[in-house]
Structure formats: C-alpha cells, structure tokens
Amino acid sequence: MSPVTATRALSRRAAALIATAALAATGLATVPAPAAAVTAPATAPAAAVADTGPPVRVNQLGYLPDGPKRATVVSSATAPLTWQLRTAAGTTVASGTTAVHGADTASGDSTHLVDFSSYTGSGTGFTLTVDGQVSYPFDIAAGLYDGLRADAMSFFYQQRSGIAIDPALAGAAYARPAGHLGVAPNKGDTSVPCQAGVCDYALDVRGGWYDAGDQGKYVVNGGIATWQLVNSFERAQRQGTAAAAGDSTLRVPERGNGVPDVLDEARWELDFLMRMQVPAGKPLAGMAFHKIHDAQWTGLPTRPDQDGQQRELHAPSTAATLNLAATTAQCARVYAPYDAAFAARCLDAAKRAWAAAKADPNVLAPGSDSTGGGAYDDAQVGDEFYWAAAELFATTGESQYRDAVTSSPFHSGPADAFWWGGTATLGRITLATVPGVALPADDLARLRASLVTAADGYLATMAGQGYAVPFGADGYVWGSNSSVANDAVTIAVAYELTGQKRYRDGALESLDYLLGRNALNRSYVTGYGEHASENEHHRFWAHENDASLPHPPAGSFAGGPNSGLQDPVAQAQLAGCAPAKCYVDDIGSYSTNEVAINWNAPLAWLAAFAADQGGSRPRPAPRAVADPAAVTVAEGSSATVGIRLSAAPAQDVTVAVARASGDPDLSVAAGASLVFTPANWATAQQVRIAAAQDADAANGTASFSVGGPGVDGTAFTATEADDDGVPPTAPCAVVYHVDSAWNGGFTATVTVRNTGRATVAGWTLGWTFPGDQRITNAWNATAAQSGAAVTAGDAGWNGTLAPGGTASFGFQASSASGAGTAPTAFTLNGAACG
C-alpha cells in the first residue's frame, strides 16, 4: 500500500493548481538577471510523451556483480523468447530464455522477465538483446553506486537556503548567491513575522533546505528527510561501512572539519529546525512553527536570492513539534561523539518539544493553509508521538519515553509504509536497530519481526508484477517514486536484521525500477541512465523555461508517475494514461515531475546501502559481543556475562566460550556452547562463570575467549573476589568536565568509573555544587537537586558498572558565573569516591 493517498497528496499543492495554471497561461515569472524570455511549458501530443524506447527494460546505470540482474521485456508473445547478454564489443557472455509473465496491471503492458543473475563478470557498456531488440547500455561493477551516493547527497547542499552555493563544489552552472538572507530584493529569513493573528514577534529562521521546486521550508518534510540522512549514517556505523560517509567524502563546505560529511549536511537542516521552535516565554513555547514560505506562490523561474516576496511563519502544530522532538533526539545520540555541546542543545530542544506536544496534543495544521506553499496538513499525530518517544527513549533510556512507546497502539501494530504524514515505522526502525535499547527481549523480537513481515509483503507484491514495484496499481500517487524508495528502505532493514539475501536483492531490485526498469523505460534520476529525467519542476534548475539556467544536477530524483494528474501539463498530455505511465518530463508538471527533499532522502539512503554492498565484497562476519567485558565473581559463587552478535549471521552459527588463560579456579559453569540464528542474533544468551572456593588470599584473574566458525571473536575477563581478607580499594573515581560555558549557564559531562572489585548494579552519584549552579536538564541519567546537593541516578540501560567499567552522563545548568567552581567530592551509592 502506498504511504501517500491521492487525497492527501493533493492537499499539499491545492493552491498551486490555480497559480501554476495562471503562470503557464500568461508566461509571468520572476527571472534572475540577466533574464531570457519565459515561455509557457510545451504541451506535446500524448504520442510523443509515450515514446518509451526499446522494449527491453533494464537498470540503465547497471548491476552489482553479485547482485540480482533482472530485466523486463514488453512483448505479447505467449512463448519464451531467447536473450543474449553482450559486452560493449558485441561478445555474448550469457544467454537464455525469458519467463512469460503476462499482463502487468499498472502499466497495461504484456511482459516477459529476464534473469541473468548468474553472470558475475564486470565491465561497461553491456546490452541485453531479446528477440532482436536491444536495451539501453548499462555497466556491471562493484563500485556502481558510489557516484549516485555522492550525487544524491549533493542535492541537499544545492537546496540549502542562506548560503552561497560554491561553484567549486556544485559546478559553475549551479553556483548562486545565498538566498533569503535579507539582501535586496529578498525580505529574508533573518527576521520573519508570523501570519496575521499567529504571533506578535519575528524569528531568525535562516538556513535549512528549500523543500522542493518551491522555496518554502516545512518542518514535517524537513523532519523525515533529516532523519533518513542521519539514519543512513547510523546504519553504516552498525555495518562497519561508516568510513564511506565520513569526513571529506561529500561535496560540502564543511569537509575537513573532523565530522562525517553526511552529518554536516543534516546539521544545516537541524539548526533551522531548532530555530523554528517557539521561544521560552511566548505562547505555545517549545512547540515548532509548521512552516515558513512566501506569502504568495512565486513565479517560475525564480532564483532564491531574487525572490522579493514577504516570508511568513505559519502557526505552530503538534506534528511539526514532534518532528522536531524526534530529529533532535536522534541528533543528541548520533552527534555526541563529534560535538557534545551541539548534541546537548539538540536534546534540550527535543525534551522541550516533547513536553510542549504533550501539553498541546491536538494543534493541527489546516488543509486550507496552502497559499504560497504546501499545506502539509495531518489530522492524526499518534504516529508522530510514537516516533518522537522512540527516538527519545533510544537516546535517554528514560522511563517516561519508554512508557509512551509501550502504551502506543503503534507499538503493537504492524509496520506500515512510511512517509512524511505517517512516521510510526521510523520509530520502529530505531527501536529495532539501535544498540542498547532497553526493551524486553521478546518485545524487541516482535518489533524486528514486524519489519521483516512488512518487507515480505513488499517482496511478494514485487514478485507479482512485470516491473517489480513494491505497491499495486493504486500506489501511483504524488511522489510515487519516493514510496518505492521508502519501501526499499524497509526491505534493506530486514536484510540487516536477518542477513537473508532475498532482502538485499529486493532492495537492489527497487533501484532497478527507479533507474529504468519501468513502464516508461526511464531513469527517474537526472544524470543516471541513457534516458533520464532532466526537466524536473524547480524554480532555479529551469533550463526548459530559460536556456541560461541549468537542468537539475545529477542525482535529482523526480516524483514519478501520478495518476491524479493534478497539474495542467499532465492533464493536457496524459489523459487516459495507465497509472504506471502517468508521468511527463516537463518542468510544468509539478504533480509528476517535482523534486523534494523527502524524495531525495530515501534515494540517498538507498544509494548508500547499495554502494555499501560493494559488488563482490562478502558481507562482513558478525562479531561476538560480551556484556560486560569484565566481571567480578565472588569466591565460591558465580556471575553471568551476556553474549550476543553484532549483526545477523547468514545461517545458524555456534559460538564457543572457554577459558583461554589465567586462574583455573575460574571456569565456565554454563553456556559453553551457544547457537545463534538469523532470528535471535541480537538477544543476549547468558554464560555463567564460577569461582572455586580456595585457601589462598589472591584475587585470581582469567581471560575467556568467545567465537566460532563464521563469527569474529571477542574476549572478556573474570576476576575472583577472594574472601580471605584482601583490603578493599576505593569504590569509584569521577571525572567532571565542563563542555561549554556562556554568560548564565554551561553544559558538563560526568564520567564515573567503578574502581572496586564487585559489579555495581544500579548507581546514584552525589555531589554538592560550591556555587549557584542549578541543573535544568540532564541526559543519560536522572538528575535531582535540592539546594546545592545533587543526585544523578542511572538511566536503566547504563545501570550496570562492572569493575573498571564507566558510565557517562551530561547535563545543562544555569549559573550567573558561567560554569563556576567545579565540585570536588562525589559519592557512589553513598560511599565516597577516590
């Protein structure tokens, strides 16, 4: 089922129908200087639009050497046809016969299927010939998707507001001055007033990404797009491929700053999203304004710095507020290793947004607010509450967010298709994949199974079609290509959870559709494929309207077939089209051919996933994980260590646990052989370590190995806590570090280390501030303050401190003297620390 209904998609651009029709009829537009004459979009006869090239439909970019290689042939033949795979030199390297599929409902085509997956060679300029008909050329290469990963991400840099686009990064044709900074003729985004009756102040909401072909900025669209970029990095971290998305890997101005470039790009939007939060002391403080855009629809073309319209803030909404809470909670988790102060600011924004949304849960954006920009109305925000709670819980472990997760009806329901107006599955993906989420094992298993079940449904739908699309004939609505990409993300998540090759194949085969194996024989990604879209609806990338302006850059993703035909160009050229063919590459067809950040985001996610497959590179072996990595065992007693895998194995694996060296009094009493399957790999299995009673007074230590065939090994240590009078050591040590300070407050990180011999199960750290410091919020701990005395308790998931183990938490505090004097004495569970 498509994540967007035709009715909901229409509400996004309701006013545009009249506005764009008027522009097309009159030729009126705002044109950057120097300007060429602007003409109305052409309305070619339908026969020209329907020219789909050769009947052999392939991924026009190509295929991975060890990936699926399938093609579709349009033919009414009832018997199989012969096919040949040929190199650029014309040499036949594989051959066979087609499988007759028959009618494809969404396109009206009679189809055959070709599967040449058994060919694992590589090269450029391959073609597939079927019954004498030759496909567009394509490559087979391990690095096939590396360029698309970079270009799909470059789209976001070029959509940035409030910064000049550098020709050295984007290319000379795409360079432009900064837009909407208040430089004439811009009114600018540095001091934007509200619509009449909404508020009596102005905000600096500069930055962020322009949403689509227009130059509005919408929190709900920015939310899902930001989440997908950051989530793609989280996925790469878990899979050991994050270096490909690291610093200096993308064309962004922040390259070389020590932060992964994908996070630099997402931060441009995160900063904007936080600027959209209603300031303290104002009505609805903590909520987020729904959107900011021009008072009226701008003409086509209009370069951003040449937009002279007044910009307006539109009323806050609960949906926007929860998008802010979710994305900034994710930010706090992912950015902490790179910029602790920014992560703390994100978490503060997230918590304030959550509290504001809970206080005003039904502030809904109206569908009628569509003058000058899309309405993005959403009458049901329970899914956003679930998503935000999931992100906050995964980041903080706090019980209030866990309770919001587990009490939500979305927690126990199926995983459904996601889009900007339906975000529950985003929260489900976070809970199912982020390490350390403190949910019961059976709850996590059910969440993961729901995602796998959804992926199975998509695969079944693909298998029943001539073009392998994950939704049926009713799914071709506004932005249908983003639906394909989003569904493919779920399929790829199922691959991470299970390791089963069919999910990898399904995600890659979804890219085949987007890159040319479809009813129109068209790549919907500019610059990728022999027959690719190049006239997407955009106010600056508008070559079709003004030859002095560029086509969209490589990596721009067209919205795709939309049977609703909600623009004049589509209505004139596509009347009577089959759903899968309701698309025209015309700048005026905004309902089939616009670009948008929430369409390029899943394309970038999917391209990064495909690039990480690395062609013939084998999937990394899962790694054994021991928690804790060091355990203390009382003499004559036992203690447990949990063993799990870092990722799903391709098949059942057996992990052996044995003493490798050290004191023979320490031994494996239970759990010496553990079996992990593609379904239970993430559930920790317990190993019991026993310490024999002996007569000596020594605290013996032993090292234990963990590993087996198909598993990268690890080790943990066990130390005997002798009961023969060994004097105790100091139980703890504390490091108190001020991360940043300003006039009136500061943020700090506190790290407590267990320097004792016994595992601490649940901790509370205490200290007394020597000055006027007052904690306002904390993360990774629950903090309370009475006068100058402070107690900080564990967050549940970080409550166990093995000997030598540490836990860190942070807080923000107010203080007239900035950070003031640091405390010097701490207690752990009432005992003084060293």
Side-chain angles (χ1 to χ4, degrees):
M1 180 178 178
S2 170
V4 188
T5 66
T7 301
R8 186 176 300 276
L10 178 57
S11 69
R12 184 207 183 289
R13 298 285 181 197
L17 302 181
I18 298 173
T20 304
L23 289 171
T26 63
L28 295 176
T30 303
V31 186
V38 179
T39 59
T43 53
V49 176
D51 181 10
T52 53
V56 184
R57 312 290 164 77
V58 298
N59 179 330
Q60 294 171 28
L61 176 58
Y63 302 87
L64 297 177
D66 71 337
K69 302 178 191 69
R70 300 187 180 99
T72 298
V73 183
V74 179
S75 173
S76 59
T78 57
L81 305 172
T82 59
W83 61 262
Q84 299 87 30
L85 175 66
R86 292 179 174 141
T87 67
T91 303
T92 297
V93 292
S95 61
T97 57
T98 65
V100 179
H101 175 79
D104 177 71
T105 304
S107 66
D109 292 340
S110 295
T111 60
H112 289 223
L113 304 179
V114 177
D115 190 337
F116 55 105
S117 302
S118 60
Y119 180 75
T120 58
S122 60
T124 61
F126 288 93
T127 54
L128 187 66
T129 299
V130 182
D131 198 30
Q133 299 291 323
V134 183
S135 72
Y136 288 124
F138 56 89
D139 298 342
I140 301 176
L144 187 76
Y145 287 102
D146 292 350
L148 181 57
R149 168 166 49 190
D151 283 342
M153 280 296 304
S154 180
F155 173 89
F156 294 91
Y157 167 59
Q158 299 193 55
Q159 285 285 93
R160 286 191 191 187
S161 176
I163 187 174
I165 302 305
D166 187 345
L169 297 173
Y174 299 97
R176 58 172 173 80
H180 296 100
L181 283 183
V183 178
N186 277 174
K187 302 296 188 296
D189 289 351
T190 56
S191 182
V192 179
C194 287
Q195 281 188 312
V198 171
C199 73
D200 59 0
Y201 55 90
L203 279 187
D204 180 353
V205 290
R206 73 182 72 192
W209 301 316
Y210 297 125
D211 175 65
D214 64 298
Q215 292 158 11
K217 298 185 292 188
Y218 309 86
V219 171
V220 296
N221 231 26
I224 187 172
T226 302
W227 182 91
Q228 287 193 297
L229 295 196
V230 177
N231 181 263
S232 73
F233 180 74
E234 285 192 284
R235 181 204 61 80
Q237 280 188 310
R238 293 192 299 270
Q239 297 303 302
T241 58
D247 191 21
S248 298
T249 59
L250 297 174
R251 300 187 299 277
V252 295
E254 298 85 1
R255 55 190 291 127
N257 65 352
V259 177
D261 287 347
V262 65
L263 299 187
D264 283 326
E265 188 56 68
R267 180 169 178 165
W268 191 261
E269 180 73 4
L270 282 163
D271 277 326
F272 159 72
L273 293 175
M274 287 189 280
R275 291 187 184 109
M276 292 288 280
Q277 193 162 28
V278 177
K282 301 294 185 182
L284 299 177
M287 295 195 77
F289 287 99
H290 196 69
K291 57 179 181 169
I292 174 259
H293 55 65
D294 290 350
Q296 301 293 326
W297 285 98
T298 54
L300 187 74
T302 303
R303 200 172 65 190
D305 62 294
Q306 294 294 317
D307 177 14
Q309 290 226 30
Q310 178 63 55
R311 308 279 275 180
E312 294 179 335
L313 285 168
H314 292 244
S317 72
T318 304
T321 303
L322 292 167
N323 270 261
L324 175 65
T327 52
T328 51
Q330 180 195 44
C331 161
R333 178 174 71 245
V334 180
Y335 285 77
Y338 307 101
D339 189 334
F342 180 65
R345 184 159 69 92
C346 282
L347 188 57
D348 176 64
K351 289 187 169 184
R352 288 189 291 116
W354 174 262
K358 292 284 286 183
D360 288 286
N362 293 302
V363 181
L364 305 179
S368 58
D369 186 14
S370 57
T371 300
Y376 284 103
D377 54 307
D378 188 352
Q380 201 287 100
V381 296
D383 52 310
E384 282 88 1
F385 268 109
Y386 180 72
W387 175 31
E391 296 297 338
L392 280 158
F393 178 52
T395 297
T396 69
E398 293 180 15
S399 59
Q400 62 168 316
Y401 307 121
R402 179 197 62 219
D403 293 346
V405 164
T406 56
S407 63
S408 170
F410 290 96
H411 189 58
S412 55
D416 55 4
F418 62 86
W419 56 296
W420 65 261
T423 58
T425 294
L426 306 184
R428 189 178 296 264
I429 289 172
T430 290
L431 295 172
T433 58
V434 171
V437 172
L439 287 173
D442 58 347
D443 207 11
L444 283 173
R446 181 185 53 75
L447 282 173
R448 291 166 178 152
S450 71
L451 290 164
V452 173
T453 298
D456 286 337
Y458 297 140
L459 294 185
T461 299
M462 293 168 71
Q465 298 189 12
Y467 293 105
V469 190
F471 52 71
D474 61 347
Y476 291 91
V477 296
W478 202 312
S480 65
N481 282 343
S482 72
S483 302
V484 174
N486 284 334
D487 293 347
V489 168
T490 299
I491 298 171
V493 169
Y495 175 58
E496 178 183 348
L497 294 175
T498 69
Q500 294 181 21
K501 181 176 177 292
R502 63 196 181 100
Y503 299 114
R504 177 181 185 261
D505 287 356
L508 294 173
E509 199 164 359
S510 298
L511 276 168
D512 293 348
Y513 168 83
L514 298 173
L515 290 164
R517 186 192 164 196
N518 52 56
L520 293 175
N521 205 9
R522 173 182 293 277
S523 168
Y524 293 111
V525 183
T526 300
Y528 285 83
E530 188 84 4
H531 184 221
S533 298
E534 62 177 5
N535 294 305
E536 289 96 326
H537 181 81
H538 197 272
R539 277 162 175 73
F540 172 51
W541 306 329
H543 184 82
E544 192 175 15
N545 272 15
D546 181 346
S548 71
L549 298 176
H551 287 292
S556 300
F557 190 30
N562 173 12
S563 60
L565 304 184
Q566 291 133 351
D567 66 75
V569 173
Q571 292 163 5
Q573 298 195 31
L574 300 173
C577 56
K581 295 180 178 178
C582 293
Y583 169 87
V584 57
D585 184 27
D586 188 301
I587 193 170
S589 184
Y590 49 82
S591 70
T592 77
N593 201 34
E594 191 169 15
V595 294
I597 55 174
N598 64 310
W599 300 345
N600 249 79
L603 176 67
W605 195 107
L606 197 54
F609 169 83
D612 283 349
Q613 303 313 302
S616 59
R617 182 181 63 195
R619 189 175 193 230
R623 173 175 48 85
V625 178
D627 185 18
V631 65
T632 298
V633 188
E635 187 176 28
S637 186
S638 63
T640 59
V641 175
I643 307 296
R644 61 178 177 84
L645 300 184
S646 64
Q651 57 191 8
D652 291 1
V653 294
T654 299
V655 171
V657 183
R659 186 179 65 249
S661 61
D663 190 343
D665 285 345
L666 291 159
S667 62
V668 178
S673 180
L674 309 172
V675 177
F676 291 92
T677 72
N680 78 346
W681 61 273
T683 301
Q685 301 186 44
Q686 300 302 309
V687 174
R688 186 159 58 88
I689 305 299
Q693 189 74 47
D694 57 27
D696 63 54
N699 290 320
T701 298
S703 176
F704 291 81
S705 63
V706 185
V711 176
D712 288 340
T714 190
F716 64 89
T717 60
T719 301
E720 175 192 24
D722 197 275
D723 58 5
D724 298 318
V726 177
T729 59
C732 54
V734 175
V735 176
Y736 178 98
H737 178 265
V738 174
D739 300 314
S740 62
W742 57 91
N743 185 22
F746 66 100
T747 61
T749 298
V750 181
T751 302
V752 56
R753 179 182 297 275
N754 179 5
T755 59
R757 297 187 313 227
T759 296
V760 175
W763 52 264
T764 299
L765 196 70
W767 72 86
T768 299
F769 278 127
D772 65 344
Q773 300 99 322
R774 297 287 302 183
I775 291 179
T776 56
N777 65 81
W779 47 96
N780 298 332
T782 302
Q785 185 169 351
S786 177
V790 177
T791 57
D794 66 77
W797 59 270
N798 59 354
T800 300
L801 286 178
T806 63
S808 295
F809 61 92
F811 65 84
Q812 183 173 335
S814 62
S815 173
S817 57
T821 304
T824 57
F826 297 86
T827 61
L828 178 65
N829 294 343
C833 293

